[in-house]
Every structure is written in structure tokens, then in C-alpha cells.
Amino acid sequence: MISQSYADFLHRTAHALHLCTTARFTREEDSGRPLREAVDDVRGTLDAVRQRLHEAAPDGPDDLATYGTLLSQARRLTDRLDHSSRA
């Protein structure tokens, strides 16, 4: 079910955001590594959401528009996290 995949994406994103804050304010040499790993995990989860999107499409165009919007926002958030993790 796509809603469960999206919920998993949000959960993993919250973890990555927490690590982003930690990495930003920590002076440890390799504090960014856990963040990069978490962002890679978020991106993998986003891929799972994208794969499940086709299962939601038969429900009708309104559902597809909603899921497409969520997917677009999720991709933008993932890209920003990815950029932050490599800075």
C-alpha cells in the first residue's frame, strides 16, 4: 500500500533531519557520515514509494494527482537533504 510506504518515507526523513541538525552543530570529524547513510536510506525509501505509485493509479485521476504531489514534495525534500549531507 502506498500510504504505508509514504509513512515509512516520512519516518526515515525525520531521522535524517535529526541527524542533519546533529551534524551541523557537531565538530566531530566524521559526523556527516551517519547523515549521508540516512539520506541514502531516505532515497531508497522514496524509490519504493515511486514503485508503489503505479498501484495507486487505477484508483482514479484524483488519487494519482494527490500521490503525484506527495511524490514531488518528497523528491524535493530528499534532494535538499542530500545536498545538506554533502556540504
Side-chain angles (χ1 to χ4, degrees):
M1 178 177 247
I2 192 168
S3 59
Q4 181 59 44
S5 295
Y6 194 76
D8 189 33
F9 166 79
L10 291 176
H11 177 78
R12 291 170 192 266
T13 298
H15 177 67
L17 286 171
H18 171 74
L19 291 174
C20 188
T21 302
T22 302
R24 184 173 181 192
F25 295 108
T26 300
R27 298 194 187 274
E28 294 177 20
E29 186 174 316
D30 200 22
S31 63
R33 187 175 55 87
L35 173 59
R36 287 188 298 275
E37 291 172 356
V39 171
D40 288 343
D41 192 36
V42 167
R43 191 163 297 281
T45 306
L46 178 58
D47 289 343
V49 171
R50 292 179 69 209
Q51 290 175 356
R52 297 216 180 239
L53 182 60
H54 72 80
E55 296 170 7
D59 293 340
D62 290 337
D63 290 339
L64 185 56
T66 299
Y67 294 133
T69 300
L70 289 174
L71 184 61
S72 176
Q73 294 297 325
R75 182 179 296 152
R76 182 172 30 221
L77 176 58
T78 302
D79 288 346
R80 286 185 182 186
L81 279 170
D82 191 37
H83 177 73
S84 294
S85 74
R86 306 207 188 284

